[in-house]
Amino acid sequence: VAGVVTNVAMRIADRIACMLFAHFDASKCSLPSVLPWPDPPGNSTPFDVPVPEASEEQLAKFLAFRGVALPATEAARREAAAREAVSYMAELFDRKHNEWCYRHYALKEKGLCFPYRAPFMNAWDFYGETSAHLRPVGNGQVIFALHHTVEGLLLPLLYFSSGDASFFYFALYADMGVEAYDILALLWRRATGVDHTLTRHHPSVDAVLV
């Protein structure tokens, strides 16, 4: 039951975030002037050529780099380049984040620069500019926060205010159910590689969580 509820909640959180925080605007996007874009450890650098100011040559070069056929009209070329720029930035940060997690948690290397993403091109499109890999991580944290608020604060308050022990037992069993599901899903991921965890952290973090 806990597994079904948490996965449904994750999907609902994704739908809500897509409706509220995925407002694409090509005019606010930028393209990289250098290909491939240098992305050293630590802070990521934002792309430096605003899409409205990009030349036809820059648009064609970037779309060719991304393996996208050149659209027929200028407006379509600029929109296609903007969308690919968003995807490219997300891929770069994904790669940097995954490498940091592996080196920090699995290899236990010291002194690594923590990876910070470049500022979002459009603040109201932050969810749209987040990779499909990292979106569930954020959704999971939202559901975990909601889960702790309900079972760690609201239900205990109802119990203390009403004296009804059913609130206490429901909070206890619900909390145990969610935590047990996440641990079992984590073990399932380690055995099969299929990730249905609530946290959706990098697999290298498992040793810290278990």
Side-chain angles (χ1 to χ4, degrees):
V1 173
V4 172
V5 171
T6 53
N7 279 279
V8 169
M10 290 271 283
R11 289 181 179 273
I12 293 173
D14 178 69
R15 292 291 180 87
I16 292 174
C18 283
M19 289 189 294
L20 298 179
F21 308 116
H23 301 286
F24 176 78
D25 184 350
S27 67
K28 294 184 178 180
C29 298
S30 297
L31 307 181
S33 60
V34 178
L35 298 171
W37 184 246
D39 195 27
N43 292 356
S44 295
T45 306
F47 297 155
D48 54 351
V49 181
V51 167
E53 301 173 17
S55 67
E56 286 291 336
E57 181 184 358
Q58 288 173 317
L59 294 172
K61 184 179 178 180
F62 179 64
L63 288 173
F65 172 75
R66 296 290 293 170
V68 176
L70 201 63
T73 66
E74 180 185 352
R77 288 192 289 273
R78 293 190 185 279
E79 179 168 345
R83 290 189 181 278
E84 286 301 318
V86 167
S87 298
Y88 185 38
M89 178 62 78
E91 290 167 15
L92 288 174
F93 183 67
D94 253 9
R95 191 179 307 132
K96 177 184 287 190
H97 177 264
N98 287 338
E99 181 183 1
W100 185 89
C101 287
Y102 177 72
R103 293 175 63 186
H104 179 75
Y105 292 108
L107 302 182
K108 302 188 185 302
E109 295 182 16
K110 304 296 182 183
L112 298 175
C113 292
F114 187 81
Y116 287 97
R117 192 193 189 284
F120 292 105
M121 301 180 200
N122 178 6
W124 284 105
D125 189 36
F126 74 86
Y127 197 73
E129 294 184 28
T130 301
S131 71
H133 169 69
L134 288 178
R135 285 183 182 185
V137 177
N139 292 335
Q141 298 309 308
V142 170
I143 301 307
F144 247 126
L146 180 62
H147 145 68
H148 286 143
T149 300
V150 171
E151 290 140 27
L153 178 63
L154 299 181
L155 289 174
L157 285 176
L158 287 172
Y159 165 65
F160 286 121
S161 63
S162 67
D164 187 346
S166 62
F167 290 118
F168 172 79
Y169 288 115
F170 181 77
L172 182 65
Y173 289 127
D175 184 67
M176 291 173 61
V178 173
E179 301 294 345
Y181 163 76
D182 203 44
I183 292 174
L184 290 173
L186 189 152
L187 295 174
W188 177 257
R189 181 179 68 183
R190 297 189 71 173
T192 67
V194 179
D195 193 353
H196 293 295
T197 62
L198 182 56
T199 49
R200 301 293 172 95
H201 291 304
H202 189 277
S204 299
V205 186
D206 291 355
V208 179
L209 298 177
V210 176

PDB file of all heavy atoms in Angstrom, residues 105 141 144 179 182-183 186 189-190 197-210:
ATOM      1  N   TYR A 105      31.001   9.097  -2.953  1.00  0.00           N
ATOM      2  CA  TYR A 105      30.401   8.042  -2.140  1.00  0.00           C
ATOM      3  C   TYR A 105      30.992   6.660  -2.398  1.00  0.00           C
ATOM      4  O   TYR A 105      31.141   5.868  -1.461  1.00  0.00           O
ATOM      5  CB  TYR A 105      28.890   8.004  -2.362  1.00  0.00           C
ATOM      6  CG  TYR A 105      28.175   9.211  -1.828  1.00  0.00           C
ATOM      7  CD1 TYR A 105      27.645  10.175  -2.698  1.00  0.00           C
ATOM      8  CD2 TYR A 105      28.026   9.419  -0.462  1.00  0.00           C
ATOM      9  CE1 TYR A 105      26.999  11.294  -2.210  1.00  0.00           C
ATOM     10  CE2 TYR A 105      27.384  10.541   0.031  1.00  0.00           C
ATOM     11  CZ  TYR A 105      26.872  11.475  -0.839  1.00  0.00           C
ATOM     12  OH  TYR A 105      26.230  12.586  -0.365  1.00  0.00           O
ATOM     13  N   GLN A 141      11.852  14.190  -2.754  1.00  0.00           N
ATOM     14  CA  GLN A 141      12.079  15.012  -1.565  1.00  0.00           C
ATOM     15  C   GLN A 141      10.806  15.741  -1.141  1.00  0.00           C
ATOM     16  O   GLN A 141      10.537  15.910   0.056  1.00  0.00           O
ATOM     17  CB  GLN A 141      13.205  16.021  -1.827  1.00  0.00           C
ATOM     18  CG  GLN A 141      14.546  15.387  -2.139  1.00  0.00           C
ATOM     19  CD  GLN A 141      14.951  14.334  -1.124  1.00  0.00           C
ATOM     20  OE1 GLN A 141      14.947  14.577   0.085  1.00  0.00           O
ATOM     21  NE2 GLN A 141      15.281  13.143  -1.606  1.00  0.00           N
ATOM     22  N   PHE A 144       8.653  13.105   0.495  1.00  0.00           N
ATOM     23  CA  PHE A 144       9.207  12.795   1.821  1.00  0.00           C
ATOM     24  C   PHE A 144       8.863  13.900   2.819  1.00  0.00           C
ATOM     25  O   PHE A 144       8.507  13.638   3.978  1.00  0.00           O
ATOM     26  CB  PHE A 144      10.726  12.630   1.741  1.00  0.00           C
ATOM     27  CG  PHE A 144      11.185  11.231   2.018  1.00  0.00           C
ATOM     28  CD1 PHE A 144      11.999  10.562   1.108  1.00  0.00           C
ATOM     29  CD2 PHE A 144      10.809  10.565   3.168  1.00  0.00           C
ATOM     30  CE1 PHE A 144      12.415   9.265   1.336  1.00  0.00           C
ATOM     31  CE2 PHE A 144      11.218   9.272   3.417  1.00  0.00           C
ATOM     32  CZ  PHE A 144      12.031   8.612   2.503  1.00  0.00           C
ATOM     33  N   GLU A 179       8.877   4.038   5.055  1.00  0.00           N
ATOM     34  CA  GLU A 179      10.318   3.799   5.221  1.00  0.00           C
ATOM     35  C   GLU A 179      10.678   2.367   4.807  1.00  0.00           C
ATOM     36  O   GLU A 179      11.708   2.140   4.163  1.00  0.00           O
ATOM     37  CB  GLU A 179      10.731   4.051   6.675  1.00  0.00           C
ATOM     38  CG  GLU A 179      10.444   5.453   7.190  1.00  0.00           C
ATOM     39  CD  GLU A 179      11.254   6.522   6.496  1.00  0.00           C
ATOM     40  OE1 GLU A 179      12.247   6.179   5.812  1.00  0.00           O
ATOM     41  OE2 GLU A 179      10.904   7.709   6.624  1.00  0.00           O
ATOM     42  N   ASP A 182      10.701   2.093   1.009  1.00  0.00           N
ATOM     43  CA  ASP A 182      11.863   2.714   0.363  1.00  0.00           C
ATOM     44  C   ASP A 182      13.111   1.850   0.515  1.00  0.00           C
ATOM     45  O   ASP A 182      13.920   1.742  -0.409  1.00  0.00           O
ATOM     46  CB  ASP A 182      12.106   4.112   0.936  1.00  0.00           C
ATOM     47  CG  ASP A 182      12.878   4.993  -0.030  1.00  0.00           C
ATOM     48  OD1 ASP A 182      12.550   4.984  -1.229  1.00  0.00           O
ATOM     49  OD2 ASP A 182      13.818   5.683   0.402  1.00  0.00           O
ATOM     50  N   ILE A 183      13.278   1.216   1.671  1.00  0.00           N
ATOM     51  CA  ILE A 183      14.432   0.338   1.872  1.00  0.00           C
ATOM     52  C   ILE A 183      14.335  -0.893   0.972  1.00  0.00           C
ATOM     53  O   ILE A 183      15.315  -1.315   0.350  1.00  0.00           O
ATOM     54  CB  ILE A 183      14.553  -0.068   3.351  1.00  0.00           C
ATOM     55  CG1 ILE A 183      14.925   1.156   4.194  1.00  0.00           C
ATOM     56  CG2 ILE A 183      15.593  -1.171   3.535  1.00  0.00           C
ATOM     57  CD1 ILE A 183      14.932   0.900   5.685  1.00  0.00           C
ATOM     58  N   LEU A 186      15.079   0.090  -2.495  1.00  0.00           N
ATOM     59  CA  LEU A 186      16.518   0.315  -2.642  1.00  0.00           C
ATOM     60  C   LEU A 186      17.248  -1.009  -2.852  1.00  0.00           C
ATOM     61  O   LEU A 186      18.119  -1.126  -3.722  1.00  0.00           O
ATOM     62  CB  LEU A 186      17.039   1.043  -1.398  1.00  0.00           C
ATOM     63  CG  LEU A 186      18.463   1.580  -1.394  1.00  0.00           C
ATOM     64  CD1 LEU A 186      18.548   2.792  -0.470  1.00  0.00           C
ATOM     65  CD2 LEU A 186      19.443   0.518  -0.903  1.00  0.00           C
ATOM     66  N   ARG A 189      16.581  -2.227  -6.292  1.00  0.00           N
ATOM     67  CA  ARG A 189      17.403  -1.528  -7.282  1.00  0.00           C
ATOM     68  C   ARG A 189      18.822  -2.087  -7.318  1.00  0.00           C
ATOM     69  O   ARG A 189      19.403  -2.257  -8.391  1.00  0.00           O
ATOM     70  CB  ARG A 189      17.456  -0.028  -6.958  1.00  0.00           C
ATOM     71  CG  ARG A 189      18.279   0.769  -7.967  1.00  0.00           C
ATOM     72  CD  ARG A 189      18.304   2.237  -7.644  1.00  0.00           C
ATOM     73  NE  ARG A 189      19.031   2.525  -6.426  1.00  0.00           N
ATOM     74  CZ  ARG A 189      19.149   3.732  -5.887  1.00  0.00           C
ATOM     75  NH1 ARG A 189      18.557   4.761  -6.477  1.00  0.00           N
ATOM     76  NH2 ARG A 189      19.827   3.924  -4.785  1.00  0.00           N
ATOM     77  N   ARG A 190      19.371  -2.396  -6.163  1.00  0.00           N
ATOM     78  CA  ARG A 190      20.726  -2.938  -6.124  1.00  0.00           C
ATOM     79  C   ARG A 190      20.781  -4.321  -6.775  1.00  0.00           C
ATOM     80  O   ARG A 190      21.794  -4.696  -7.370  1.00  0.00           O
ATOM     81  CB  ARG A 190      21.227  -3.022  -4.684  1.00  0.00           C
ATOM     82  CG  ARG A 190      21.344  -1.673  -3.997  1.00  0.00           C
ATOM     83  CD  ARG A 190      22.042  -1.756  -2.673  1.00  0.00           C
ATOM     84  NE  ARG A 190      23.472  -2.020  -2.828  1.00  0.00           N
ATOM     85  CZ  ARG A 190      24.332  -2.015  -1.817  1.00  0.00           C
ATOM     86  NH1 ARG A 190      23.913  -1.773  -0.587  1.00  0.00           N
ATOM     87  NH2 ARG A 190      25.611  -2.253  -2.033  1.00  0.00           N
ATOM     88  N   THR A 197      12.629   3.594  -6.028  1.00  0.00           N
ATOM     89  CA  THR A 197      12.764   4.183  -4.697  1.00  0.00           C
ATOM     90  C   THR A 197      12.066   5.534  -4.650  1.00  0.00           C
ATOM     91  O   THR A 197      11.815   6.167  -5.683  1.00  0.00           O
ATOM     92  CB  THR A 197      14.252   4.375  -4.328  1.00  0.00           C
ATOM     93  OG1 THR A 197      14.846   5.276  -5.263  1.00  0.00           O
ATOM     94  CG2 THR A 197      14.992   3.056  -4.330  1.00  0.00           C
ATOM     95  N   LEU A 198      11.795   5.986  -3.440  1.00  0.00           N
ATOM     96  CA  LEU A 198      11.222   7.311  -3.265  1.00  0.00           C
ATOM     97  C   LEU A 198      12.302   8.378  -3.348  1.00  0.00           C
ATOM     98  O   LEU A 198      12.072   9.476  -3.847  1.00  0.00           O
ATOM     99  CB  LEU A 198      10.500   7.383  -1.909  1.00  0.00           C
ATOM    100  CG  LEU A 198       9.786   8.684  -1.546  1.00  0.00           C
ATOM    101  CD1 LEU A 198       8.779   9.063  -2.621  1.00  0.00           C
ATOM    102  CD2 LEU A 198       9.102   8.546  -0.196  1.00  0.00           C
ATOM    103  N   THR A 199      13.498   8.054  -2.887  1.00  0.00           N
ATOM    104  CA  THR A 199      14.589   9.029  -2.862  1.00  0.00           C
ATOM    105  C   THR A 199      15.217   9.231  -4.239  1.00  0.00           C
ATOM    106  O   THR A 199      15.617  10.332  -4.590  1.00  0.00           O
ATOM    107  CB  THR A 199      15.668   8.577  -1.875  1.00  0.00           C
ATOM    108  OG1 THR A 199      15.996   7.201  -2.121  1.00  0.00           O
ATOM    109  CG2 THR A 199      15.181   8.719  -0.440  1.00  0.00           C
ATOM    110  N   ARG A 200      15.356   8.156  -5.020  1.00  0.00           N
ATOM    111  CA  ARG A 200      15.943   8.199  -6.363  1.00  0.00           C
ATOM    112  C   ARG A 200      17.364   8.778  -6.366  1.00  0.00           C
ATOM    113  O   ARG A 200      17.793   9.407  -7.336  1.00  0.00           O
ATOM    114  CB  ARG A 200      15.068   8.997  -7.331  1.00  0.00           C
ATOM    115  CG  ARG A 200      13.660   8.474  -7.493  1.00  0.00           C
ATOM    116  CD  ARG A 200      13.629   7.113  -8.183  1.00  0.00           C
ATOM    117  NE  ARG A 200      12.297   6.543  -8.153  1.00  0.00           N
ATOM    118  CZ  ARG A 200      11.417   6.676  -9.147  1.00  0.00           C
ATOM    119  NH1 ARG A 200      11.744   7.341 -10.238  1.00  0.00           N
ATOM    120  NH2 ARG A 200      10.225   6.130  -9.064  1.00  0.00           N
ATOM    121  N   HIS A 201      18.099   8.582  -5.281  1.00  0.00           N
ATOM    122  CA  HIS A 201      19.472   9.049  -5.243  1.00  0.00           C
ATOM    123  C   HIS A 201      20.357   8.225  -6.161  1.00  0.00           C
ATOM    124  O   HIS A 201      19.981   7.138  -6.613  1.00  0.00           O
ATOM    125  CB  HIS A 201      20.023   8.962  -3.809  1.00  0.00           C
ATOM    126  CG  HIS A 201      19.402   9.935  -2.862  1.00  0.00           C
ATOM    127  ND1 HIS A 201      19.399  11.290  -3.094  1.00  0.00           N
ATOM    128  CD2 HIS A 201      18.781   9.756  -1.667  1.00  0.00           C
ATOM    129  CE1 HIS A 201      18.799  11.906  -2.094  1.00  0.00           C
ATOM    130  NE2 HIS A 201      18.405  11.002  -1.220  1.00  0.00           N
ATOM    131  N   HIS A 202      21.558   8.734  -6.400  1.00  0.00           N
ATOM    132  CA  HIS A 202      22.546   7.979  -7.170  1.00  0.00           C
ATOM    133  C   HIS A 202      22.840   6.672  -6.427  1.00  0.00           C
ATOM    134  O   HIS A 202      22.921   6.662  -5.183  1.00  0.00           O
ATOM    135  CB  HIS A 202      23.831   8.806  -7.315  1.00  0.00           C
ATOM    136  CG  HIS A 202      24.825   8.225  -8.263  1.00  0.00           C
ATOM    137  ND1 HIS A 202      25.709   7.241  -7.887  1.00  0.00           N
ATOM    138  CD2 HIS A 202      25.069   8.476  -9.573  1.00  0.00           C
ATOM    139  CE1 HIS A 202      26.459   6.916  -8.925  1.00  0.00           C
ATOM    140  NE2 HIS A 202      26.100   7.652  -9.959  1.00  0.00           N
ATOM    141  N   PRO A 203      22.990   5.549  -7.134  1.00  0.00           N
ATOM    142  CA  PRO A 203      23.229   4.259  -6.455  1.00  0.00           C
ATOM    143  C   PRO A 203      24.421   4.258  -5.505  1.00  0.00           C
ATOM    144  O   PRO A 203      24.448   3.484  -4.540  1.00  0.00           O
ATOM    145  CB  PRO A 203      23.468   3.290  -7.627  1.00  0.00           C
ATOM    146  CG  PRO A 203      22.699   3.888  -8.753  1.00  0.00           C
ATOM    147  CD  PRO A 203      22.819   5.376  -8.592  1.00  0.00           C
ATOM    148  N   SER A 204      25.392   5.121  -5.731  1.00  0.00           N
ATOM    149  CA  SER A 204      26.557   5.194  -4.845  1.00  0.00           C
ATOM    150  C   SER A 204      26.191   5.650  -3.433  1.00  0.00           C
ATOM    151  O   SER A 204      26.926   5.412  -2.487  1.00  0.00           O
ATOM    152  CB  SER A 204      27.614   6.133  -5.421  1.00  0.00           C
ATOM    153  OG  SER A 204      28.078   5.683  -6.670  1.00  0.00           O
ATOM    154  N   VAL A 205      25.025   6.312  -3.308  1.00  0.00           N
ATOM    155  CA  VAL A 205      24.592   6.804  -2.001  1.00  0.00           C
ATOM    156  C   VAL A 205      23.986   5.682  -1.155  1.00  0.00           C
ATOM    157  O   VAL A 205      23.813   5.823   0.055  1.00  0.00           O
ATOM    158  CB  VAL A 205      23.581   7.954  -2.176  1.00  0.00           C
ATOM    159  CG1 VAL A 205      23.217   8.598  -0.838  1.00  0.00           C
ATOM    160  CG2 VAL A 205      24.139   9.019  -3.115  1.00  0.00           C
ATOM    161  N   ASP A 206      23.682   4.531  -1.781  1.00  0.00           N
ATOM    162  CA  ASP A 206      23.022   3.440  -1.068  1.00  0.00           C
ATOM    163  C   ASP A 206      23.770   3.019   0.188  1.00  0.00           C
ATOM    164  O   ASP A 206      23.166   2.723   1.220  1.00  0.00           O
ATOM    165  CB  ASP A 206      22.861   2.220  -1.986  1.00  0.00           C
ATOM    166  CG  ASP A 206      21.850   2.464  -3.088  1.00  0.00           C
ATOM    167  OD1 ASP A 206      21.215   3.534  -3.075  1.00  0.00           O
ATOM    168  OD2 ASP A 206      21.691   1.599  -3.961  1.00  0.00           O
ATOM    169  N   ALA A 207      25.093   2.979   0.095  1.00  0.00           N
ATOM    170  CA  ALA A 207      25.890   2.530   1.248  1.00  0.00           C
ATOM    171  C   ALA A 207      25.698   3.452   2.432  1.00  0.00           C
ATOM    172  O   ALA A 207      25.830   3.021   3.594  1.00  0.00           O
ATOM    173  CB  ALA A 207      27.358   2.461   0.865  1.00  0.00           C
ATOM    174  N   VAL A 208      25.373   4.714   2.186  1.00  0.00           N
ATOM    175  CA  VAL A 208      25.146   5.670   3.274  1.00  0.00           C
ATOM    176  C   VAL A 208      23.760   5.486   3.865  1.00  0.00           C
ATOM    177  O   VAL A 208      23.545   5.609   5.078  1.00  0.00           O
ATOM    178  CB  VAL A 208      25.310   7.108   2.775  1.00  0.00           C
ATOM    179  CG1 VAL A 208      25.063   8.118   3.889  1.00  0.00           C
ATOM    180  CG2 VAL A 208      26.701   7.317   2.190  1.00  0.00           C
ATOM    181  N   LEU A 209      22.775   5.162   3.018  1.00  0.00           N
ATOM    182  CA  LEU A 209      21.390   5.090   3.451  1.00  0.00           C
ATOM    183  C   LEU A 209      21.053   3.761   4.140  1.00  0.00           C
ATOM    184  O   LEU A 209      20.193   3.733   5.025  1.00  0.00           O
ATOM    185  CB  LEU A 209      20.454   5.281   2.247  1.00  0.00           C
ATOM    186  CG  LEU A 209      20.547   6.622   1.528  1.00  0.00           C
ATOM    187  CD1 LEU A 209      19.635   6.649   0.313  1.00  0.00           C
ATOM    188  CD2 LEU A 209      20.177   7.755   2.482  1.00  0.00           C
ATOM    189  N   VAL A 210      21.680   2.665   3.699  1.00  0.00           N
ATOM    190  CA  VAL A 210      21.314   1.344   4.246  1.00  0.00           C
ATOM    191  C   VAL A 210      22.036   1.114   5.563  1.00  0.00           C
ATOM    192  O   VAL A 210      23.226   1.314   5.664  1.00  0.00           O
ATOM    193  CB  VAL A 210      21.678   0.237   3.240  1.00  0.00           C
ATOM    194  CG1 VAL A 210      21.392  -1.126   3.847  1.00  0.00           C
ATOM    195  CG2 VAL A 210      20.878   0.406   1.960  1.00  0.00           C
TER     196      VAL A 210
END
